[in-house]
Amino acid sequence: RRALDAMAPSEFEPERIEVLREPPPIPAPAAHGPTVLAQKFAAGKFVISVEVDPPRSPDASSLLAAARLLKDNGVDVLNVADTPMARMRMSAWALCSLVQLHVGLETVLHFPTRGRNIVRVMGDLLAAHALGVRNILVVMGDPVSHGDYPEATDQSDIVPSGLVRLIKQQFNSGLDAAGKSISQATLFHVGVALNMGAPNPDKEIAVLKKKIEAGADFALTQPVYEPGVCRRFVERIHERLGAMPIPILMGLLPLSSTRHAEFLHNELPGFALPDSVRERMRLAGPRGRSEGIKLAQELLLEARDCIQGCYIMPAFERWQTVMDVMSALPHDASDGAR
């Protein structure tokens, strides 16, 4: 203190610092108006969506190339799975951002409630919206006990219908889960999962109704394999809920062999193939891939007039399978004819 008092004021004249103007903010991706997917639904277009899994590495170049191929062949939107089978992969919203930025193909981000507490849920939603990812598919997610890190925690603070409500009724109104402001309203378009082959269809429709009341905009179904199941389920929805309340994309996972069919039936939790389909694939023998594509085409054409699009899940990243299934559609499908 005495040393400082002894110093003359001129001895500690501060160094002059030039104050620069703040740099302009980085423009955020376009986030106004309905998404391309929402516009296609509103216009009555028959939407074709394809599911991809993020890479198990920081290199997404091969998937970006696949996205370009799919876009060039008429795919409308890319669904990006989040840690499918509870196996570690690149963040789904990172891949969504890369695809939209470098390919120009709109994405649907799968958003599982599994493994996220409410703070993480809200932070990831803000991150996705900041990157221009506005189509969200709310799902429960595969249990971590079936993944490659079964010892991982499986915490979840919110159920799918609650997450739909949080996004559509709070985030899209500019509020967080506690009712506090998030500065501006988000513009998310929210989808939900649907199982048309559920053992108890009335219970499945009751769950769907709850999700619609929470604000769901569209639904994607589990893979369909039984002819007529889609039509019967839609007719049941009409009986219970009146007019079709939201667009539905029917899931198609083309089988590639009898071994593929048996693996899905016996090893995938909650997945069951009809005996007739397993027998059909067994009899196909070495023609398994073409038979699986033929079955998918039959299901698509049979259900086409009661759905708003299809959701193709090509096994083993065989992208040509997507184009093969799509080839069954008449050329006016992309113009909304159903």
Short mmCIF file of all heavy atoms in Angstrom, two decimals, residues 266-301:
data_model
loop_
_atom_site.label_atom_id
_atom_site.label_comp_id
_atom_site.label_asym_id
_atom_site.label_seq_id
_atom_site.Cartn_x
_atom_site.Cartn_y
_atom_site.Cartn_z
N ASN A 266 -35.71 -63.03 -34.86
CA ASN A 266 -35.26 -63.68 -33.62
C ASN A 266 -34.37 -62.81 -32.74
O ASN A 266 -34.29 -63.05 -31.53
CB ASN A 266 -34.50 -64.97 -33.96
CG ASN A 266 -35.40 -66.02 -34.58
OD1 ASN A 266 -36.28 -66.55 -33.91
ND2 ASN A 266 -35.19 -66.33 -35.84
N GLU A 267 -33.70 -61.83 -33.30
CA GLU A 267 -32.70 -61.09 -32.54
C GLU A 267 -33.07 -59.64 -32.25
O GLU A 267 -32.48 -59.02 -31.37
CB GLU A 267 -31.35 -61.12 -33.29
CG GLU A 267 -30.83 -62.50 -33.58
CD GLU A 267 -30.50 -63.30 -32.33
OE1 GLU A 267 -30.22 -62.67 -31.28
OE2 GLU A 267 -30.53 -64.54 -32.38
N LEU A 268 -34.01 -59.08 -32.99
CA LEU A 268 -34.35 -57.67 -32.80
C LEU A 268 -35.50 -57.55 -31.83
O LEU A 268 -36.59 -58.08 -32.08
CB LEU A 268 -34.72 -57.03 -34.15
CG LEU A 268 -34.50 -55.52 -34.29
CD1 LEU A 268 -33.03 -55.20 -34.14
CD2 LEU A 268 -35.00 -55.03 -35.64
N PRO A 269 -35.30 -56.88 -30.69
CA PRO A 269 -36.36 -56.76 -29.69
C PRO A 269 -37.62 -56.11 -30.26
O PRO A 269 -37.55 -55.10 -30.96
CB PRO A 269 -35.73 -55.87 -28.61
CG PRO A 269 -34.25 -56.02 -28.79
CD PRO A 269 -34.05 -56.21 -30.27
N GLY A 270 -38.76 -56.72 -30.00
CA GLY A 270 -40.04 -56.15 -30.43
C GLY A 270 -40.33 -56.29 -31.90
O GLY A 270 -41.25 -55.65 -32.42
N PHE A 271 -39.55 -57.11 -32.61
CA PHE A 271 -39.70 -57.24 -34.06
C PHE A 271 -40.15 -58.66 -34.37
O PHE A 271 -39.53 -59.64 -33.93
CB PHE A 271 -38.35 -56.98 -34.73
CG PHE A 271 -38.44 -56.58 -36.18
CD1 PHE A 271 -38.29 -55.26 -36.56
CD2 PHE A 271 -38.68 -57.52 -37.16
CE1 PHE A 271 -38.37 -54.89 -37.90
CE2 PHE A 271 -38.76 -57.17 -38.49
CZ PHE A 271 -38.60 -55.85 -38.85
N ALA A 272 -41.24 -58.80 -35.12
CA ALA A 272 -41.75 -60.12 -35.47
C ALA A 272 -42.20 -60.13 -36.93
O ALA A 272 -42.97 -59.27 -37.35
CB ALA A 272 -42.91 -60.51 -34.55
N LEU A 273 -41.71 -61.10 -37.68
CA LEU A 273 -42.11 -61.25 -39.08
C LEU A 273 -43.19 -62.32 -39.19
O LEU A 273 -43.11 -63.35 -38.51
CB LEU A 273 -40.91 -61.66 -39.94
CG LEU A 273 -39.85 -60.61 -40.23
CD1 LEU A 273 -38.66 -61.23 -40.94
CD2 LEU A 273 -40.42 -59.48 -41.07
N PRO A 274 -44.18 -62.12 -40.06
CA PRO A 274 -45.17 -63.17 -40.26
C PRO A 274 -44.51 -64.45 -40.79
O PRO A 274 -43.52 -64.39 -41.53
CB PRO A 274 -46.11 -62.56 -41.32
CG PRO A 274 -45.88 -61.10 -41.24
CD PRO A 274 -44.46 -60.91 -40.85
N ASP A 275 -45.04 -65.60 -40.39
CA ASP A 275 -44.49 -66.87 -40.85
C ASP A 275 -44.48 -66.96 -42.37
O ASP A 275 -43.56 -67.53 -42.96
CB ASP A 275 -45.30 -68.03 -40.26
CG ASP A 275 -45.12 -68.16 -38.75
OD1 ASP A 275 -44.13 -67.61 -38.23
OD2 ASP A 275 -45.98 -68.81 -38.11
N SER A 276 -45.51 -66.40 -43.00
CA SER A 276 -45.61 -66.47 -44.46
C SER A 276 -44.46 -65.72 -45.13
O SER A 276 -43.94 -66.15 -46.17
CB SER A 276 -46.95 -65.90 -44.93
OG SER A 276 -47.08 -64.55 -44.51
N VAL A 277 -44.04 -64.62 -44.54
CA VAL A 277 -42.93 -63.85 -45.10
C VAL A 277 -41.61 -64.59 -44.92
O VAL A 277 -40.78 -64.67 -45.83
CB VAL A 277 -42.86 -62.45 -44.44
CG1 VAL A 277 -41.58 -61.72 -44.84
CG2 VAL A 277 -44.08 -61.63 -44.84
N ARG A 278 -41.41 -65.19 -43.75
CA ARG A 278 -40.18 -65.94 -43.51
C ARG A 278 -40.09 -67.13 -44.46
O ARG A 278 -39.02 -67.44 -45.00
CB ARG A 278 -40.13 -66.40 -42.06
CG ARG A 278 -40.03 -65.24 -41.06
CD ARG A 278 -40.38 -65.67 -39.65
NE ARG A 278 -39.48 -66.69 -39.15
CZ ARG A 278 -39.77 -67.52 -38.16
NH1 ARG A 278 -40.98 -67.46 -37.57
NH2 ARG A 278 -38.90 -68.41 -37.75
N GLU A 279 -41.23 -67.80 -44.70
CA GLU A 279 -41.26 -68.93 -45.62
C GLU A 279 -40.99 -68.46 -47.05
O GLU A 279 -40.28 -69.13 -47.82
CB GLU A 279 -42.60 -69.65 -45.52
CG GLU A 279 -42.77 -70.83 -46.48
CD GLU A 279 -41.82 -71.99 -46.16
OE1 GLU A 279 -41.13 -71.95 -45.12
OE2 GLU A 279 -41.78 -72.93 -46.97
N ARG A 280 -41.56 -67.33 -47.41
CA ARG A 280 -41.33 -66.78 -48.76
C ARG A 280 -39.85 -66.49 -48.98
O ARG A 280 -39.31 -66.77 -50.04
CB ARG A 280 -42.16 -65.51 -48.93
CG ARG A 280 -42.03 -64.83 -50.27
CD ARG A 280 -43.05 -63.72 -50.41
NE ARG A 280 -42.84 -62.92 -51.60
CZ ARG A 280 -43.62 -61.93 -52.00
NH1 ARG A 280 -44.71 -61.63 -51.29
NH2 ARG A 280 -43.36 -61.25 -53.10
N MET A 281 -39.19 -65.92 -47.98
CA MET A 281 -37.76 -65.63 -48.11
C MET A 281 -36.94 -66.92 -48.13
O MET A 281 -35.93 -67.02 -48.84
CB MET A 281 -37.31 -64.73 -46.97
CG MET A 281 -37.91 -63.33 -47.00
SD MET A 281 -37.57 -62.44 -48.55
CE MET A 281 -35.78 -62.33 -48.46
N ARG A 282 -37.37 -67.94 -47.38
CA ARG A 282 -36.65 -69.21 -47.39
C ARG A 282 -36.71 -69.86 -48.76
O ARG A 282 -35.70 -70.35 -49.29
CB ARG A 282 -37.23 -70.15 -46.33
CG ARG A 282 -36.44 -71.45 -46.15
CD ARG A 282 -37.17 -72.42 -45.23
NE ARG A 282 -38.40 -72.93 -45.84
CZ ARG A 282 -38.43 -73.91 -46.75
NH1 ARG A 282 -37.30 -74.48 -47.17
NH2 ARG A 282 -39.58 -74.32 -47.24
N LEU A 283 -37.89 -69.83 -49.36
CA LEU A 283 -38.05 -70.43 -50.68
C LEU A 283 -37.32 -69.65 -51.77
O LEU A 283 -36.95 -70.22 -52.80
CB LEU A 283 -39.54 -70.52 -51.03
CG LEU A 283 -40.38 -71.48 -50.15
CD1 LEU A 283 -41.85 -71.38 -50.51
CD2 LEU A 283 -39.88 -72.92 -50.32
N ALA A 284 -37.09 -68.36 -51.54
CA ALA A 284 -36.41 -67.54 -52.55
C ALA A 284 -34.94 -67.93 -52.69
O ALA A 284 -34.34 -67.77 -53.75
CB ALA A 284 -36.52 -66.06 -52.19
N GLY A 285 -34.35 -68.46 -51.62
CA GLY A 285 -32.96 -68.89 -51.68
C GLY A 285 -32.02 -67.78 -52.13
O GLY A 285 -32.02 -66.69 -51.57
N PRO A 286 -31.23 -68.02 -53.18
CA PRO A 286 -30.27 -67.01 -53.64
C PRO A 286 -30.93 -65.77 -54.25
O PRO A 286 -30.27 -64.76 -54.49
CB PRO A 286 -29.43 -67.75 -54.69
CG PRO A 286 -30.31 -68.89 -55.14
CD PRO A 286 -31.11 -69.27 -53.95
N ARG A 287 -32.23 -65.84 -54.50
CA ARG A 287 -32.95 -64.68 -55.04
C ARG A 287 -33.54 -63.83 -53.91
O ARG A 287 -34.48 -63.06 -54.12
CB ARG A 287 -34.09 -65.15 -55.95
CG ARG A 287 -33.67 -65.95 -57.17
CD ARG A 287 -34.87 -66.34 -58.02
NE ARG A 287 -35.76 -67.26 -57.29
CZ ARG A 287 -36.87 -66.91 -56.68
NH1 ARG A 287 -37.26 -65.64 -56.67
NH2 ARG A 287 -37.60 -67.82 -56.05
N GLY A 288 -32.96 -63.95 -52.71
CA GLY A 288 -33.52 -63.29 -51.54
C GLY A 288 -33.66 -61.79 -51.69
O GLY A 288 -34.71 -61.22 -51.35
N ARG A 289 -32.64 -61.14 -52.22
CA ARG A 289 -32.70 -59.68 -52.32
C ARG A 289 -33.82 -59.23 -53.25
O ARG A 289 -34.59 -58.33 -52.92
CB ARG A 289 -31.36 -59.12 -52.80
CG ARG A 289 -31.36 -57.60 -52.91
CD ARG A 289 -30.01 -57.05 -53.34
NE ARG A 289 -30.07 -55.60 -53.48
CZ ARG A 289 -30.50 -54.97 -54.57
NH1 ARG A 289 -30.90 -55.68 -55.63
NH2 ARG A 289 -30.56 -53.66 -54.62
N SER A 290 -33.93 -59.86 -54.42
CA SER A 290 -34.97 -59.46 -55.36
C SER A 290 -36.36 -59.78 -54.82
O SER A 290 -37.33 -59.04 -55.04
CB SER A 290 -34.76 -60.15 -56.73
OG SER A 290 -34.80 -61.56 -56.58
N GLU A 291 -36.47 -60.87 -54.05
CA GLU A 291 -37.76 -61.22 -53.45
C GLU A 291 -38.14 -60.22 -52.37
O GLU A 291 -39.31 -59.83 -52.24
CB GLU A 291 -37.71 -62.63 -52.87
CG GLU A 291 -39.07 -63.19 -52.50
CD GLU A 291 -39.97 -63.43 -53.71
OE1 GLU A 291 -39.44 -63.59 -54.84
OE2 GLU A 291 -41.20 -63.45 -53.54
N GLY A 292 -37.15 -59.78 -51.59
CA GLY A 292 -37.42 -58.78 -50.56
C GLY A 292 -37.86 -57.46 -51.15
O GLY A 292 -38.77 -56.79 -50.62
N ILE A 293 -37.25 -57.06 -52.26
CA ILE A 293 -37.65 -55.83 -52.94
C ILE A 293 -39.05 -55.97 -53.52
O ILE A 293 -39.88 -55.06 -53.42
CB ILE A 293 -36.63 -55.47 -54.04
CG1 ILE A 293 -35.30 -55.04 -53.39
CG2 ILE A 293 -37.16 -54.37 -54.95
CD1 ILE A 293 -34.16 -54.89 -54.37
N LYS A 294 -39.33 -57.13 -54.10
CA LYS A 294 -40.66 -57.38 -54.67
C LYS A 294 -41.74 -57.29 -53.59
O LYS A 294 -42.81 -56.69 -53.80
CB LYS A 294 -40.69 -58.75 -55.34
CG LYS A 294 -42.02 -59.08 -56.01
CD LYS A 294 -41.97 -60.47 -56.65
CE LYS A 294 -43.30 -60.83 -57.29
NZ LYS A 294 -43.27 -62.21 -57.86
N LEU A 295 -41.46 -57.86 -52.42
CA LEU A 295 -42.42 -57.80 -51.32
C LEU A 295 -42.65 -56.35 -50.89
O LEU A 295 -43.80 -55.93 -50.68
CB LEU A 295 -41.89 -58.61 -50.13
CG LEU A 295 -42.68 -58.50 -48.82
CD1 LEU A 295 -44.11 -58.99 -49.01
CD2 LEU A 295 -41.98 -59.29 -47.71
N ALA A 296 -41.58 -55.56 -50.78
CA ALA A 296 -41.71 -54.15 -50.40
C ALA A 296 -42.52 -53.38 -51.43
O ALA A 296 -43.36 -52.54 -51.07
CB ALA A 296 -40.33 -53.53 -50.23
N GLN A 297 -42.30 -53.66 -52.71
CA GLN A 297 -43.05 -52.99 -53.76
C GLN A 297 -44.54 -53.35 -53.67
O GLN A 297 -45.41 -52.47 -53.83
CB GLN A 297 -42.50 -53.39 -55.13
CG GLN A 297 -41.11 -52.85 -55.43
CD GLN A 297 -40.57 -53.37 -56.74
OE1 GLN A 297 -40.90 -54.48 -57.17
NE2 GLN A 297 -39.72 -52.59 -57.38
N GLU A 298 -44.84 -54.61 -53.42
CA GLU A 298 -46.24 -55.03 -53.30
C GLU A 298 -46.93 -54.31 -52.14
O GLU A 298 -48.07 -53.84 -52.27
CB GLU A 298 -46.30 -56.55 -53.08
CG GLU A 298 -45.86 -57.37 -54.29
CD GLU A 298 -45.70 -58.85 -53.95
OE1 GLU A 298 -45.95 -59.21 -52.77
OE2 GLU A 298 -45.32 -59.64 -54.83
N LEU A 299 -46.26 -54.24 -51.02
CA LEU A 299 -46.83 -53.57 -49.85
C LEU A 299 -47.04 -52.09 -50.12
O LEU A 299 -48.06 -51.51 -49.72
CB LEU A 299 -45.90 -53.75 -48.65
CG LEU A 299 -45.78 -55.18 -48.10
CD1 LEU A 299 -44.57 -55.30 -47.18
CD2 LEU A 299 -47.05 -55.59 -47.37
N LEU A 300 -46.09 -51.46 -50.80
CA LEU A 300 -46.19 -50.03 -51.10
C LEU A 300 -47.37 -49.75 -52.02
O LEU A 300 -48.17 -48.83 -51.76
CB LEU A 300 -44.89 -49.56 -51.74
CG LEU A 300 -44.82 -48.11 -52.19
CD1 LEU A 300 -45.11 -47.15 -51.05
CD2 LEU A 300 -43.45 -47.81 -52.81
N LEU A 301 -47.51 -50.52 -53.08
CA LEU A 301 -48.60 -50.29 -54.02
C LEU A 301 -49.95 -50.60 -53.40
O LEU A 301 -50.95 -49.92 -53.67
CB LEU A 301 -48.38 -51.13 -55.28
CG LEU A 301 -47.17 -50.74 -56.14
CD1 LEU A 301 -47.00 -51.71 -57.31
CD2 LEU A 301 -47.32 -49.31 -56.65
#
